[in-house]
Amino acid sequence: HAAARSPESAVLVDVGRLDAASPALPLVRGADALMVLARPRADELSHVATLLESVSTWTRTPGLVLAGDGHSRTEVERELGVPVMATLPDDPRGASILCGQPRGRAPNRSALGRAAARLNRTLLGHVQAGRTHSDGLVAAAAPTTDNGEVPR
């Protein structure tokens, strides 16, 4: 796909909930970065803490994306020892726009769309800083929820 070759964009792939037996693991290992998506709440962060023990064997570039309200970014980074690449707002209308249900609004008009654009820029800078060339970026995103939706 042309977007994957563009140095100005990231291709985010939702690989679902990851573990050592996940069929998505080869995709994760081939990605330039792995972003773990979680709500900043104790129950989800305890799962993330367990997952992070394995993540370092799957990717050189782990990161965390927090969605919704809960513990602060600073608290999460301190406790888990992994950078929070972005915080996403709880924005169900923005999520539906990003999923192809525009309802007359452009994605960049929603809080979630603007946050996703910031994540794209942050992610590109983070990964390209560690590379000698840019072939585009593929990032695997592993949410901590089982239902395939953006955590709220």
Side-chain angles (χ1 to χ4, degrees):
H1 191 275
R5 292 186 294 276
S6 171
E8 289 91 33
S9 65
V11 176
L12 297 173
V13 180
D14 182 346
V15 296
R17 190 169 232 177
L18 279 176
D19 61 34
S22 173
L25 214 44
L27 179 62
V28 169
R29 287 188 172 127
D32 295 305
L34 173 65
M35 299 293 105
V36 176
L37 178 65
R39 286 181 222 119
R41 300 184 199 155
D43 58 335
E44 290 200 23
L45 293 174
S46 67
H47 173 73
V48 169
T50 302
L51 179 65
L52 289 175
E53 294 173 13
S54 299
V55 165
S56 64
T57 66
W58 302 336
T59 182
R60 295 182 326 264
T61 316
L64 182 59
V65 176
L66 301 176
D69 296 325
H71 294 288
S72 76
R73 178 183 194 138
T74 304
E75 290 173 304
V76 172
E77 287 179 332
R78 183 181 59 239
E79 291 300 317
L80 297 181
V82 77
V84 173
M85 303 302 289
T87 56
L88 303 178
D90 183 7
D91 181 10
R93 291 183 74 199
S96 67
I97 292 167
L98 292 175
C99 290
Q101 301 167 4
R103 298 183 189 173
R105 291 178 41 191
N108 65 350
R109 301 284 307 212
S110 72
L112 182 59
R114 290 188 299 274
R118 285 190 302 273
L119 172 59
N120 179 58
R121 291 188 299 273
T122 300
L123 188 54
L124 286 168
H126 181 66
V127 171
Q128 289 178 350
R131 290 205 207 147
T132 56
H133 65 286
S134 62
D135 301 329
L137 169 70
V138 177
T144 63
T145 59
D146 290 320
N147 63 7
E149 295 178 6
V150 173
R152 295 189 191 157

